[in-house]
């Protein structure tokens, strides 16, 4: 067995994986449902590329993708058995576990913060401190971006509603309208949101302090019971994501990648220049802090930071005895190991 240790060896891995025998052909195909927190195909690119390149099929999996509205809806779908895998944010996963909803964050696909506190380019607001008394837009009332923003504002000694107010305004176009009307002075958005708003003629500036880059973004999760009962499926699902990630990061494959994403969301890929720019931004946020740990690795220190910020902001009423119960690295070596 040989473990992938560094991304400089990605060409070897890609070539080897391309020659892997389709062992799954003799197996029964398992039907899997995946739910994403928005219709964006680019933000969930590994799933759509794995579908298009046949990597899930190689693992004996047939994956159906669906979009819902935010992390809360993802967790509801998982808990109700309406989906097998989802891509929620870490804050909702921690809070869900504190309430007895046992869900496991398996694959960290965005080790670097995918959200930002955004203001218009010409705004006098320079830091989160300047948002005291402000109305701040968010996509949904209980999305991952809310936990992200609260953690940062809490670090500045602010809490809601005493020091600021969140207003759900949707994403993309609706957020642009809210900024234009002055309903909000800042917006907590993803890379996609920032790109869309800027593309629509309103350049945005990110005032998020660099130290919060370890407040990582959404990743792939499943109910803990499902993980325990279906380790082979989890292993196959994650291995397909790794293969798709490596394939996508090879510039020679960009046109094929965009073709796969276009199948999932044609409107998002209409302007390929815009789509390329957005995908580049997502790929930059997906680079692990320590490549030796492999794709999908969950950093315990970064989880502790998320947990402690949620406690400080009041989103988590009481500290968990052990935050490690909400995530797992049990499959990372298998996902990143060649036969």
């Amino acid at each position: 067995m040989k473990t992938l240790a560094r991304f400089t060896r990605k060409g070897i891995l890609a070539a080897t994986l391309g020659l892997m025998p389709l062992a799954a052909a003799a197996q029964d195909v398992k039907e899997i449902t995946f739910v994403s927190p928005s219709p964006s195909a680019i933000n969930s690119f590994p799933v759509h590329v794995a579908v298009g390149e046949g990597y899930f099929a190689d693992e004996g999996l047939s994956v159906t993708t669906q979009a819902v509205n935010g992390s809360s809806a993802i967790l509801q779908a998982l808990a109700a058995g309406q989906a097998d895998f989802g891509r929620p944010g870490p804050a909702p996963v921690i809070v869900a576990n504190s309430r007895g909803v046992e869900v496991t964050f398996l694959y960290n696909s965005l080790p670097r913060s995918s959200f930002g506190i955004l203001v218009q380019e010409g705004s006098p607001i320079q830091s989160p401190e300047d948002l005291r008394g402000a109305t701040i837009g968010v996509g949904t009332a209980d999305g991952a971006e809310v936990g992200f923003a609260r953690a940062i504002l809490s670090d500045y000694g602010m809490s809601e509603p005493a020091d600021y107010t969140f207003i759900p305004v949707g994403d993309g176009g609706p957020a642009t309208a809210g900024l234009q009307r002055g309903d909000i002075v800042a917006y907590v958005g993803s890379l996609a949101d920032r790109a869309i708003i800027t593309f629509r003629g309103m350049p945005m500036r990110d005032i998020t302090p660099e130290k919060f880059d370890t407040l990582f973004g959404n990743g792939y999760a499943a109910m803990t019971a499902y993980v325990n009962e279906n380790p082979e499926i989890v292993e196959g699902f994650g291995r397909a994501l790794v293969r798709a990630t490596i394939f996508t990061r090879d510039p020679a494959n960009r046109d094929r990648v965009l073709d796969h994403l276009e199948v999932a969301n044609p409107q998002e890929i209409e302007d390929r220049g815009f789509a390329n720019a957005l995908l580049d931004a997502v790929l930059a946020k997906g680079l692990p802090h320590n490549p030796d740990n492999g794709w999908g690795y969950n950093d315990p220190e970064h989880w502790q930071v998320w947990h402690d910020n949620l406690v400080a902001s009041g989103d988590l009423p009481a500290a968990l005895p052990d935050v490690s119960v909400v995530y797992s690295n049990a499959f990372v070596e298998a996902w990143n190991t060649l036969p």
Side-chain angles (χ1 to χ4, degrees):
M1 300 292 285
K2 188 176 182 181
T3 301
L4 173 66
R6 295 188 179 275
F7 300 131
T8 53
R9 296 158 57 189
K10 66 182 181 183
I12 298 174
L13 177 64
T16 305
L17 290 174
L19 297 175
M20 286 175 63
L22 302 183
Q27 303 173 0
D28 292 333
V29 174
K30 300 289 193 298
E31 300 288 338
I32 301 297
T33 298
F34 163 77
V35 285
S36 63
S38 77
S40 172
I42 292 175
N43 281 329
S44 296
F45 77 87
V47 171
H48 302 294
V49 172
V51 170
E53 287 297 311
Y55 298 150
F56 286 131
D58 291 350
E59 301 291 344
L61 305 177
S62 176
V63 177
T64 299
T65 63
Q66 298 178 1
V68 294
N69 190 18
S71 294
S72 179
I74 288 175
L75 296 174
Q76 290 173 9
L78 293 176
Q82 298 170 340
D84 304 295
F85 294 92
R87 197 173 64 83
V93 169
I94 293 174
V95 173
N97 274 276
S98 74
R99 296 172 176 169
V101 180
E102 296 183 355
V103 58
T104 300
F105 197 101
L106 296 161
Y107 186 112
N108 189 344
S109 59
L110 289 171
R112 303 169 191 273
S113 174
S114 62
F115 292 110
I117 300 179
L118 309 176
V119 297
Q120 295 186 56
E121 189 65 50
S123 170
I125 297 172
Q126 299 298 320
S127 81
E129 176 68 39
D130 298 331
L131 293 173
R132 288 186 183 275
T135 301
I136 305 167
V138 293
T140 61
D142 50 9
E145 73 276 16
V146 175
F148 170 83
R150 280 184 178 151
I152 294 172
L153 296 171
S154 174
D155 192 66
Y156 282 82
M158 289 187 273
S159 62
E160 188 187 15
D163 301 298
Y164 61 88
T165 303
F166 283 140
I167 292 183
V169 294
D171 53 16
T176 305
L179 289 163
Q180 288 174 333
R181 291 192 304 264
D183 298 339
I184 56 177
V185 300
Y187 177 70
V188 186
S190 67
L191 292 167
D193 296 320
R194 181 180 182 181
I196 291 169
I197 295 171
T198 299
F199 185 70
R200 295 190 178 191
M202 184 181 288
M204 302 298 291
R205 178 163 46 86
D206 190 347
I207 62 169
T208 307
E210 186 177 350
K211 71 175 184 176
F212 293 102
D213 194 40
T214 56
L215 287 177
F216 56 91
N218 295 43
Y220 297 89
M223 297 303 294
T224 304
Y226 182 88
V227 175
N228 292 337
E229 294 166 7
N230 300 280
E232 298 87 359
I233 292 177
V234 174
E235 182 176 327
F237 187 85
R239 183 161 45 239
L241 296 181
V242 169
R243 294 179 67 188
T245 298
I246 293 168
F247 182 88
T248 300
R249 287 182 173 276
D250 185 342
N253 298 327
R254 182 55 65 93
D255 285 340
R256 283 181 60 138
V257 167
L258 293 180
D259 288 343
H260 296 321
L261 299 178
E262 187 174 25
V263 172
N265 188 337
Q267 185 176 7
E268 190 177 39
I269 313 300
E270 279 180 348
D271 185 324
R272 291 214 164 193
F274 167 76
N276 269 310
L278 178 54
L279 181 55
D280 285 340
V282 172
L283 291 175
K285 293 294 187 178
L287 278 174
H289 294 274
N290 182 356
D292 287 343
N293 290 328
W295 300 104
Y297 178 77
N298 288 285
D299 190 309
E301 291 185 6
H302 298 170
W303 273 101
Q304 192 65 50
V305 170
W306 257 118
H307 171 272
D308 294 348
N309 275 289
L310 290 172
V311 173
S313 67
D315 285 333
L316 196 62
L320 296 178
D322 181 5
V323 71
S324 69
V325 300
V326 310
Y327 65 90
S328 174
N329 284 317
F331 297 90
V332 172
E333 182 177 358
W335 293 337
N336 290 271
T337 300
L338 298 176

